[in-house]
Amino acid sequence: LSLTSNPDLTLMEGNNVIEIKPSAFDKGRPVLRWLAQEEWGFVLAAGDDHTDEYMFEALNGRGTTVKVGVGMSAADYYVEKVGDIRGLLEAMLAVR
């Protein structure tokens, strides 16, 4: 069953989302372009589903990555729920 007439599209199911995108595009590509623009003092990426894994992989060693929820991930760290990201950011500001 073909969902589109364009074979260069990919359908990905995420957490409460269905993403239809060009096959050659993922969340890691814009991250790589953004990193190439200048030197950043600190980069943090957080995400809660498998579509964010491309972003985590792109940042490999060049940023801090956080997976929200359970499951295998390329992220450096895990938090239990989305609300925990706010606590993480507040803790980071307090250390600053």
Side-chain angles (χ1 to χ4, degrees):
L1 173 67
S2 176
L3 296 175
T4 70
S5 61
N6 183 342
D8 293 329
L9 293 178
T10 299
L11 182 123
M12 295 181 71
E13 293 183 55
N15 293 336
N16 299 311
V17 67
I18 294 177
E19 186 175 295
I20 300 173
K21 64 178 189 66
S23 296
F25 184 82
D26 60 54
K27 292 181 180 180
R29 294 185 139 215
V31 168
L32 291 173
R33 277 194 297 266
W34 184 66
L35 288 173
Q37 289 178 358
E38 65 182 272
E39 288 293 318
W40 301 95
F42 180 75
V43 176
L44 173 71
D48 66 350
D49 71 41
H50 68 275
T51 63
D52 299 312
E53 291 300 316
Y54 298 106
M55 180 174 56
F56 299 155
E57 291 168 6
L59 282 169
N60 185 22
R62 298 191 289 177
T64 301
T65 55
V66 182
K67 164 77 171 168
V68 179
V70 296
M72 296 298 295
S73 177
D76 301 316
Y77 302 98
Y78 295 82
V79 295
E80 188 175 323
K81 56 191 181 300
V82 172
D84 294 337
I85 293 294
R86 182 180 190 132
L88 175 66
L89 294 172
E90 289 171 347
M92 291 169 75
L93 286 172
V95 172
R96 213 178 119 188

